[in-house]
Structure formats: structure tokens, C-alpha cells
Amino acid sequence: DAGVIQSPRHEVTEMGQEVTLRCKPISGHNSLFWYRQTMMRGLELLIYFNNNVPIDDSGMPEDRFSAKMPNASFSTLKIQPSEPRDSAVYFCASSTGNSGNTIYFGEGSWLTVV
Amino acid sequence: DQQVKQNSPSLSVQEGRISILNCDYTNSMFDYFLWYKKYPAEGPTFLISISSIKDKNEDGRFTVFLNKSAKHLSLHIVPSQPGDSAVYFCAARTVYGGSQGNLIFGKGTKLSVKP
């Protein structure tokens, strides 16, 4: 079975540009998570969806960040405008949403904003 | 304020010896704990978990211990192998409203197992 699929794997962009990260969760999973990893803060949750509905977006750092999940098989995380401090690895993860089940991570999108 | 803390950013162990990775938490509502392993340029992968109703869970060379009164858990790897070299993340979760809560991660401990 395919795991969580993220694209792009690597992105280098200039400050001020819009960045869109994409995620396809594991088929049948109804919870989707966006995490960001930095040296300073480790792995921090940005937002998570349950059945395509955002449940908790308290981790989204600023209004420049937005996330959507238009259907069960696709989600986007958008940064507009991007800033150098947004440089990080962004992970998407999914799970079945049942208590006690683990979440499965994608390989991450490495973002560098110059 | 960090709810899940891994106070050792790195640990070096000789091959064949025991590796002990520690994790502390502050939220008494956490009821499920997990350890993830992460290799460079890859996403974290699930390793082992423990429910708050247990104090020990074992899976092969990996054992997780939970001390609820101390709000402390640890991951033991024995014997350690060079392939275990990775970053290990401790994570905790609450379950509320019947739906799965999100995972709160520690900052990770980088384990190096030397041949």
C-alpha cells in the first residue's frame, strides 16, 4: 500500500512568493495532520483535519499560513507570502482516527525561503 | 510551554549495550504515548506505544516503560545496533470527545550506536 505522499520533496523559493505544499493521505484514513520540524521547536502540529473538517488550527503560526482539505484524498498547506523563517521541513501525516491508532508520516517537504 | 520534554538532545552508546531514552510530560490528561524513529531525509516512523493503563510494553529489542506518578517514560533498546542510530521522538496524546486527539512531540534525542 502507498504511504502518505507529499509534494514537492524540496522547494527553494524567494521571500514573498507563495508556496503550496500538497499531501495525499493513506486511503481509508480520515484524519490528516500537518506538522513542521525545525531545530528550535522540534516537531510541532500546525493543523489537523478529521473527515475533511479542520479540528484544531491553533498551531498555525500566522495568517500567512492556510490549509485546506477539499476531499478525503487531498490536502494543501499554503504560505503566502513566504518568509525566510518559514524554512523548515513540513510533514503531512494521516491516521484512521480511532483511539489508540498511530499516525503515519510522509517523507516531508523541505522548504527553503531565501 | 513544552508538554513533552526530551531533555537529552543526544546519546552515544556502544553496539551491544543498552540504550535508554527518556521523556517527561506535564499534562496528566495524556493517556497514550508513542515513540517514533526518524532517519535523515525521511519521515518519522512509528516504533512502539503504550497506553496509560499499562506500565510496560515490549516488542523485540524495544521496551517502553511508563511511570505515571512521575510523568515519565523511557525507551530501552537492548542490545543496541548501529542501525538503531536515528533521532527518537517521544509523543503523547489525549483522547477527548470520542475522537483522536493530536500527537504532541518532544524535540527528539539523537542516538548514535558505535560499532
Side-chain angles (χ1 to χ4, degrees):
Chain A
D1 283 343
V4 176
I5 299 173
Q6 292 186 244
S7 65
R9 287 297 314 276
H10 298 272
E11 172 126 0
V12 180
T13 190
E14 291 185 347
M15 182 174 64
Q17 296 297 305
E18 178 180 293
V19 173
T20 300
L21 308 178
R22 298 172 179 81
C23 176
K24 177 177 166 51
I26 294 172
S27 177
H29 283 190
N30 59 358
S31 290
L32 182 140
F33 307 80
W34 281 101
Y35 282 87
R36 177 172 69 176
Q37 184 187 14
T38 60
M39 290 291 292
M40 290 296 294
R41 301 173 71 89
L43 265 173
E44 51 178 342
L45 179 73
L46 301 178
I47 185 171
Y48 85 94
F49 297 84
N50 197 37
N51 293 322
N52 311 340
V53 176
I55 302 299
D56 182 358
D57 66 354
S58 59
M60 296 286 263
E62 299 171 33
D63 291 345
R64 299 183 296 107
F65 285 69
S66 62
K68 293 182 180 179
M69 191 166 186
N71 57 62
S73 60
F74 184 65
S75 177
T76 59
L77 177 68
K78 188 173 291 187
I79 309 172
Q80 165 64 16
S82 58
E83 296 182 3
R85 61 193 167 118
D86 301 331
S87 298
V89 184
Y90 291 81
F91 289 103
C92 177
S94 71
S95 78
T96 61
N98 293 325
S99 171
N101 281 6
T102 71
I103 67 173
Y104 297 86
F105 284 81
E107 294 188 320
S109 292
W110 296 65
L111 173 65
T112 302
V113 183
V114 297
Chain B
D1 192 24
Q2 268 195 294
Q3 297 187 64
V4 178
K5 299 179 184 179
Q6 294 177 256
N7 292 321
S8 297
S10 63
L11 174 68
S12 183
V13 172
Q14 204 68 30
E15 180 180 6
R17 298 290 184 99
I18 185 171
S19 295
I20 301 176
L21 297 104
N22 293 303
C23 178
D24 297 293
Y25 62 95
T26 58
N27 188 342
S28 58
M29 296 300 290
F30 288 144
D31 64 355
Y32 200 71
F33 303 89
L34 306 91
W35 284 94
Y36 278 77
K37 178 178 178 180
K38 184 183 179 303
Y39 292 118
E42 295 183 8
T45 56
F46 169 72
L47 186 60
I48 192 169
S49 63
I50 187 167
S51 164
S52 61
I53 62 174
K54 295 186 176 182
D55 55 18
K56 176 182 175 182
N57 188 27
E58 190 173 350
D59 183 2
R61 296 184 298 112
F62 303 91
T63 303
V64 56
F65 295 92
L66 175 62
N67 182 335
K68 285 183 65 178
S69 60
K71 294 191 177 68
H72 177 84
L73 66 156
S74 60
L75 174 67
H76 292 211
I77 307 173
V78 56
S80 302
Q81 300 173 353
D84 297 329
S85 298
V87 177
Y88 289 79
F89 289 97
C90 170
R93 185 173 66 202
T94 59
V95 177
Y96 46 85
S99 63
Q100 180 187 26
N102 69 75
L103 285 179
I104 308 295
F105 283 85
K107 290 190 175 182
T109 297
K110 184 177 181 180
L111 174 66
S112 299
V113 180
K114 300 185 184 308

